């Protein structure tokens, strides 16, 4: 294999759901509660792996029966029921993936700046980060914000890059989905696809992940080596 020139990454931007934290069960339980209130069929928890990641409204649209997904009144009511449920549930079962806390501590020791960029509503994003990662010095924690386009638009990623004082080429964008790989690419950043999340290897590989991380320790290795090979750590 041709030897790749090593790079030095000085910053990393992480997705939240499916990357740092397994939030799937709390999301699934909350949507199913809303569906039950509306009299619609519910989904298995695993079915939500392909539904989450593009904001709450999109999640509602992809969870209701197809014949009502374009009905804004239905989606508005679903959102109301969902938020009421998620307010109670969002910390019931959501936990960091194994090795994430150690990874963040090791990245701090390596002098790597870190940030979070999620399509989850900002208030939930901030609450989850504050509760699950107290003391981690993220330079910014961004969720869905009014007036700022959601991922895969690169606006928030580039804003975080600016806060870090780095060029996009010095920052890795890390996530578990097609949306994350597209966001990083749109921002001019190398991407890391994590296989422990909601989507898996195939989607990440097909959407141009520069690196594939099979464990959080792989991301620390990237920080230390500056990049090993084009895909599959």
């Amino acid at each position: 294999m041709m030897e790749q020139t090593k790079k030095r990454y000085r910053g990393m931007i992480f997705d939240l759901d499916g990357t740092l934290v397994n939030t799937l069960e709390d999301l699934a339980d909350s949507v199913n509660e809303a569906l039950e209130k509306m009299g619609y069929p519910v989904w298995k928890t695993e079915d939500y792996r392909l539904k989450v990641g593009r904001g709450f409204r999109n999640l509602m649209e992809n969870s209701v029966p197809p014949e009502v997904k374009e009905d804004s009144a239905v989606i508005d009511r679903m959102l109301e029921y969902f938020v009421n449920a998620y307010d109670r549930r969002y910390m019931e079962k959501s936990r960091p993936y194994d090795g994430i806390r150690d990874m963040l501590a090791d990245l701090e020791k390596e002098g790597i700046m870190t940030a979070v960029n999620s399509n989850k509503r900002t208030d939930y994003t901030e609450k989850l980060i504050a509760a699950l990662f107290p003391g981690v010095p993220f330079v910014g924690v961004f969720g869905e914000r009014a007036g700022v386009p959601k991922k895969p638009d690169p606006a928030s990623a580039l804003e975080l890059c600016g806060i870090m004082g780095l060029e996009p080429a010095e920052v890795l964008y890390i996530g578990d989905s097609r949306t994350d790989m597209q966001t990083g690419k749109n921002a001019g950043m190398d991407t890391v696809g994590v296989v422990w999340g909601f989507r898996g290897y195939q989607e990440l590989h097909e959407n141009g992940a520069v690196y594939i991380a099979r464990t959080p320790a792989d991301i620390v290795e990237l920080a230390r080596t500056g990049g090993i090979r084009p895909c599959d750590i």
Side-chain angles (χ1 to χ4, degrees):
M1 180 180 294
M2 183 178 296
E3 185 176 351
Q4 186 184 26
T5 302
K6 290 184 178 180
K7 297 180 181 178
R8 175 63 179 175
Y9 298 111
R10 299 171 58 201
M12 297 187 180
I13 300 175
F14 291 90
D15 171 51
L16 176 62
D17 301 72
T19 301
L20 295 177
V21 181
N22 186 351
T23 57
L24 192 66
E25 286 189 81
D26 287 338
L27 287 166
D29 291 347
S30 299
V31 180
N32 282 342
E33 180 177 322
L35 289 168
E36 287 176 341
K37 286 182 178 294
M38 296 287 285
Y40 298 142
V42 301
W43 299 87
K44 295 177 182 177
T45 297
E46 289 300 303
D47 293 331
Y48 284 99
R49 288 183 178 276
L50 299 180
K51 298 179 184 295
V52 300
R54 294 178 292 275
F56 286 166
R57 190 171 191 88
N58 182 276
L59 176 57
M60 300 304 106
E61 292 169 349
N62 284 294
S63 299
V64 299
E67 62 270 20
V68 296
K69 69 179 298 182
E70 303 295 335
D71 188 326
S72 60
V74 167
I75 301 305
D76 287 345
R77 182 62 62 85
M78 274 288 297
L79 271 170
E80 180 182 348
Y81 287 147
F82 167 77
V83 170
N84 285 338
Y86 199 55
D87 276 342
R88 301 192 310 273
R89 296 179 184 274
Y90 75 97
M91 279 291 296
E92 279 186 358
K93 301 172 183 176
S94 294
R95 298 291 183 271
Y97 288 99
D98 290 345
I100 292 294
R101 288 192 175 105
D102 288 341
M103 174 198 74
L104 292 170
D106 288 341
L107 291 177
E108 183 180 359
K109 291 175 185 175
E110 292 292 326
I112 302 294
M113 288 180 280
T114 55
V116 176
N117 183 29
S118 175
N119 274 345
K120 184 189 289 291
R121 225 173 64 182
T122 289
D123 52 349
Y124 292 118
T125 300
E126 292 176 342
K127 288 175 183 177
L128 281 164
I129 291 296
L132 298 176
F133 305 107
V136 175
F138 292 113
V139 303
V141 175
F142 288 170
E144 183 180 4
R145 298 177 291 161
V148 180
K150 298 197 296 281
K151 300 184 295 184
D153 189 283
S156 288
L158 290 172
E159 185 177 347
L160 289 166
C161 188
I163 294 171
M164 292 177 177
L166 301 177
E167 295 297 321
E170 298 176 286
V171 179
L172 280 175
Y173 198 95
I174 302 163
D176 70 311
S177 72
R178 171 178 62 250
T179 299
D180 295 312
M181 300 305 98
Q182 292 171 346
T183 304
K185 181 178 179 180
N186 292 341
M189 301 172 185
D190 284 349
T191 52
V192 182
V194 304
V195 299
W196 58 80
F198 297 161
R199 301 298 169 80
Y201 174 87
Q202 194 67 27
E203 178 171 317
L204 298 165
H205 181 69
E206 289 176 355
N207 285 275
V210 177
Y211 305 102
I212 297 290
R214 300 190 180 279
T215 70
D218 291 336
I219 295 173
V220 178
E221 188 68 13
L222 269 175
R224 289 172 176 158
T225 65
I228 302 171
R229 49 193 168 121
C231 207
D232 258 35
I233 295 174

